Amino acid sequence: MGLQVVWLKRDLRLEDHAALTAAARQGPVALLYVFEPSLLARPEIDASHVAFVLGTLAALEQQLAERGVALWVELGEVVDVLDRLHHQHRFEALYAHEETGLFVTWDRDRAVARWARRTQVSFHEYPQFGVFRPHPSRDGWAERWERRMRPGPLPVPEIGGPPRSPRDLPRLEDLGVAPSLKVDGPAPGRGAGVELLDSFLERRGRRYASEMSSPVTAVESCSLLSPHLAYGTLSMREVRQASGRRREAALARKDADWAGSLDAFEARLRWHCHFIQKLEDEPELEFHNAHRGYDGLRNEAPLDAWSASERRRLRAWIEGRTGYPMVDAAMRHLHRTGWINFRMRAMLVSFACHHLWLHWREPAVALAAHFVDFEPGIHFSQFQMQAGTTGINTPRIYNVLKQAEEQDPEGLFIRRELPELEGVPNAYLPCPGRMPTDLQRRTGCKIGRDYPPPIVEHGTAMSAARQRLEGMKRRPELRAEAERVVARHGSRKSPTGAPRSTPGAPPRASHSRRRRGSRTLT
């Protein structure tokens, strides 16, 4: 048989890889990864994302070298790269996983499908997660998800291919990408992902259910697997099955702590795919409100048309200079590591959209670049839920003072990320701007010099946002659209435990390219 090419996207592994397994059955295989200039230029994409991919490709190349199989790493737009490689190698089939990504990658996938038809190269796509394409209805979704997770993970197939020609992987500078500023980012590669999964299931996850909300304890008790799921060094199915085995063992020992924590963890694996399914079914959620009745609630103009006040608020939020330490510490932690727990993410979004009353789109783009585990389907769907623009979820306006008091009562997280607040007493740490002048002098933290004053008055901003959102919910003309959103995107109660609602985890495309409908390649 002729050469088969496996196009790697966000599925950087050999294990449980449906596209690779199918290709290996047909003949010799080459694996291809393409760094796309149009994607690298997107404001959602950060050097930390590219560095994670490069580190993972280095580990993958080592696995392939042991098998004598080629890994082609190219720079260029995918159709151009495929065209050139096809002329050189005359491969007969292209295999890939489906991707629910940015709209630019959806356009790219459609272009690849057209190229394959034109060149008579057969193009085969396989599901990557528990996300369904095409997707007929939300009814029964949770049961379909469980069925997809049930079969055992696919083993690494026996693969052969064209001789491997040793070639150095590109560096960030070769790709035109500046070095990453995240000094404590996650370790790339499947080995690092497996190690995290094992340590979570053997030790770290025991108190997951009770410790995942605080940034003080989450770094130890959360799985930290999100970058590895986002880039596919681990498959969703193998993580779900490994957790299920550990949970069954805990139940057999009557270990309620472990079983409860793993129940909570597995619920979030379902939510992972539940939210990606939303973007799969309606790609425009990257750009517009899920409930169109909320259009105009906030300023939807492009950033360069925002007022000076709006741009100042956005900049202070991005830089961690809002005057509210829990917000600023969470943001600076992200700047340093590229990861933070879900509650802190939700709080950051809530503060930007409610306290600062900014439209969700610009903050979403900014945080996408800071999340090393950026997963578009989860990201934009969750942003809209937290911003209150779905029309079907009760808006959660996080009290940032209460979050500091409850999730960091001793100020361990805040003082680690904001050393300028080291001398501030715990009683004033949620809002140092309330310190009397003489206490500021004694603690060596002068507000306006060492730490900014509050960018908005907390209580007033919360109250104004709540009144605006409650006013929207009372408008009877919005109910029909809310019913459409529920029918298309709402979760359904199921015996498997999938939730009815979630408790709490780029250049702009032109309007002419925003298409309605699910992602069915044509």
Side-chain angles (χ1 to χ4, degrees):
M1 298 291 290
L3 180 64
Q4 321 293 307
V5 172
V6 177
W7 172 26
L8 300 174
K9 294 186 275 185
R10 294 165 71 92
D11 51 351
L12 303 179
R13 63 181 185 277
L14 304 182
E15 296 78 2
D16 199 24
H17 198 293
L20 175 61
T21 299
R25 292 193 187 109
Q26 300 303 316
V29 172
L31 286 84
L32 168 68
Y33 187 87
V34 183
F35 286 102
E36 305 160 68
S38 59
L39 194 55
L40 294 174
R42 299 286 295 189
E44 298 98 334
I45 304 304
D46 182 69
S48 58
H49 302 148
V50 183
F52 190 91
V53 169
L54 283 170
T56 299
L57 288 174
L60 187 62
E61 187 176 49
Q62 183 61 40
Q63 280 186 280
L64 290 168
E66 295 166 0
R67 295 167 168 81
V69 174
L71 173 63
W72 297 337
V73 178
E74 303 288 339
L75 173 64
E77 300 306 331
V78 174
V79 168
D80 296 337
V81 169
L82 289 173
D83 214 39
R84 175 169 51 79
L85 291 175
H86 187 246
H87 279 97
Q88 293 173 354
H89 301 279
R90 308 309 301 179
F91 59 86
E92 64 178 31
L94 180 66
Y95 296 78
H97 274 123
E98 296 168 349
E99 178 180 2
T100 305
L102 294 168
F103 206 93
V104 66
T105 66
W106 170 225
D107 268 352
R108 173 208 64 198
D109 288 352
R110 290 163 61 90
V112 168
R114 292 192 296 271
W115 173 87
R117 286 196 300 273
R118 185 173 69 250
T119 57
Q120 297 185 325
V121 170
S122 57
F123 182 26
H124 309 275
E125 288 193 289
Y126 299 84
Q128 160 80 329
F129 294 128
V131 175
F132 301 90
R133 177 188 297 180
H135 180 224
S137 167
R138 272 287 175 174
D139 294 334
W141 182 91
E143 288 76 12
R144 291 195 295 274
W145 187 90
E146 289 289 350
R147 286 197 297 272
R148 182 167 286 179
M149 295 300 115
R150 203 167 292 147
L154 296 166
V156 178
E158 291 293 327
I159 50 178
R164 174 180 175 271
S165 54
R167 177 181 171 187
D168 291 337
L169 288 173
R171 300 164 299 175
L172 286 174
E173 52 265 40
D174 299 327
L175 301 172
V177 176
S180 173
L181 300 179
K182 299 195 183 330
V183 296
D184 294 319
R190 179 173 172 84
V194 170
E195 184 176 335
L196 282 172
L197 177 61
D198 289 346
S199 67
F200 177 72
L201 295 178
E202 292 170 5
R203 172 181 54 83
R204 296 187 297 108
R206 171 178 284 280
R207 290 183 293 277
Y208 172 80
S210 60
E211 294 189 351
M212 63 180 170
S213 294
S214 169
V216 178
T217 54
V219 172
E220 175 66 17
S221 295
C222 284
S223 75
L224 310 180
L225 293 174
S226 50
H228 296 278
L229 289 171
Y231 289 99
T233 66
L234 300 174
S235 78
M236 173 62 70
R237 182 161 55 185
E238 66 179 319
V239 172
R240 169 65 175 82
Q241 293 191 10
S243 177
R245 290 192 296 270
R246 185 72 177 85
R247 177 173 45 80
E248 291 300 320
L251 288 170
R253 297 194 311 272
K254 295 182 170 41
D255 190 335
D257 286 345
W258 259 116
S261 282
L262 292 173
D263 270 338
F265 175 65
E266 289 172 25
R268 279 151 184 82
L269 295 180
R270 287 187 290 271
W271 291 328
H272 170 284
C273 298
H274 163 76
F275 279 101
I276 296 176
Q277 187 74 60
K278 294 173 187 282
L279 191 65
E280 174 70 32
D281 292 346
E282 192 170 356
E284 288 183 318
L285 293 180
E286 181 182 341
F287 307 105
H288 73 46
N289 294 328
H291 190 303
R292 300 313 301 268
Y294 285 75
D295 291 358
L297 178 64
R298 300 177 177 92
N299 184 4
E300 299 179 16
L303 180 60
D304 56 10
W306 279 18
S307 69
S309 172
E310 287 171 317
R311 290 196 298 271
R312 178 180 61 84
R313 281 178 272 151
L314 177 65
R315 186 168 56 253
W317 177 78
I318 292 172
E319 295 175 357
R321 296 186 297 99
T322 69
Y324 289 100
M326 202 61 168
V327 173
D328 296 342
M331 189 64 82
R332 294 197 205 175
H333 182 84
L334 268 178
H335 286 214
R336 182 168 60 83
T337 71
W339 184 90
I340 199 165
N341 61 315
F342 178 82
R343 180 176 288 266
M344 294 298 100
R345 298 183 190 213
M347 179 195 69
L348 285 171
V349 177
S350 172
F351 190 85
C353 296
H354 301 316
H355 284 75
L356 304 184
W357 203 247
L358 301 175
H359 189 271
W360 58 266
R361 171 67 190 167
E362 291 296 342
V365 170
L367 279 193
H370 280 303
F371 292 163
V372 176
D373 57 10
F374 171 50
E375 180 67 68
I378 299 173
H379 189 75
F380 294 112
S381 300
Q382 279 283 355
F383 241 92
Q384 292 218 40
M385 194 180 80
Q386 297 299 334
T389 56
T390 66
I392 63 174
N393 302 101
T394 301
R396 297 192 67 187
I397 303 177
Y398 280 71
N399 183 324
V400 294
L401 305 185
K402 186 177 179 183
Q403 292 301 311
E405 293 164 355
E406 294 183 350
Q407 306 303 334
D408 190 22
E410 300 303 317
L412 300 176
F413 174 71
I414 288 173
R415 290 190 177 93
R416 184 177 70 228
E417 302 299 333
L418 306 175
E420 62 268 37
L421 302 183
E422 178 62 35
V424 174
N426 286 347
Y428 287 99
L429 206 51
C431 186
R434 296 178 176 177
M435 283 194 298
T437 304
D438 62 334
L439 185 56
Q440 294 181 36
R441 186 169 52 253
R442 293 201 307 270
T443 59
C445 180
K446 182 174 175 54
I447 301 303
R449 182 193 68 190
D450 303 303
Y451 187 69
I455 192 168
V456 293
E457 202 288 315
H458 167 70
T460 302
M462 278 189 70
S463 178
R466 185 174 291 110
Q467 288 177 17
R468 287 165 171 165
L469 292 170
E470 288 177 353
M472 296 294 292
K473 295 284 279 189
R474 288 194 294 266
R475 289 170 55 183
E477 68 271 22
L478 301 186
R479 289 175 186 162
E481 175 71 356
E483 290 172 1
R484 180 199 69 82
V485 176
V486 169
R488 190 165 195 176
H489 300 301
S491 57
R492 308 289 194 264
K493 190 174 184 179
S494 82
T496 62
R500 293 188 66 87
S501 61
T502 298
R508 300 171 192 82
S510 68
H511 288 270
S512 64
R513 298 183 66 195
R514 302 178 192 179
R515 302 182 182 90
R516 214 175 270 277
S518 63
R519 299 173 184 239
T520 303
L521 288 178
T522 58

